[in-house]
Amino acid sequence: MLTVTAQSDTRLVIIGGASLGPRYIDWNFVATDKNLIETAKQRWQQQQFPSIPGDADDFIPLP
C-alpha cells in the first residue's frame, strides 16, 4: 500500500514491470553498455549533440 499526499497540483507516474537489466550511469549519461557511455562522452566533448531550443548556449564540460 502506498499513500501519496501532494502539497499542490501534481502529476505522478508510477511505472513497473520486469527488470530491464543492468544500467550504467556516468554524469548525465545512462546506458545498458559502458561503451555506449564512452561514445556519448566523446560526442559531448566534440559538441555533437543538438542544442535544446530555449536552453542556454553555454557548453558544460565533463566533470
Side-chain angles (χ1 to χ4, degrees):
M1 165 75 86
L2 172 70
T3 301
V4 177
T5 304
Q7 301 299 315
S8 61
D9 290 346
T10 303
R11 292 182 183 172
L12 175 68
V13 177
I14 298 175
I15 301 173
S19 172
L20 297 174
R23 295 291 180 266
Y24 302 98
I25 302 172
D26 188 332
W27 193 48
N28 286 334
F29 304 113
V30 179
T32 56
D33 183 313
K34 291 181 180 180
N35 291 325
L36 293 173
I37 290 178
E38 291 305 314
T39 300
K41 288 166 62 175
Q42 290 172 7
R43 289 185 59 215
W44 181 263
Q45 289 292 70
Q46 297 168 3
Q47 299 184 36
Q48 294 179 344
F49 285 93
S51 61
I52 298 171
D55 197 15
D57 291 334
D58 299 336
F59 175 71
I60 301 172
L62 287 169

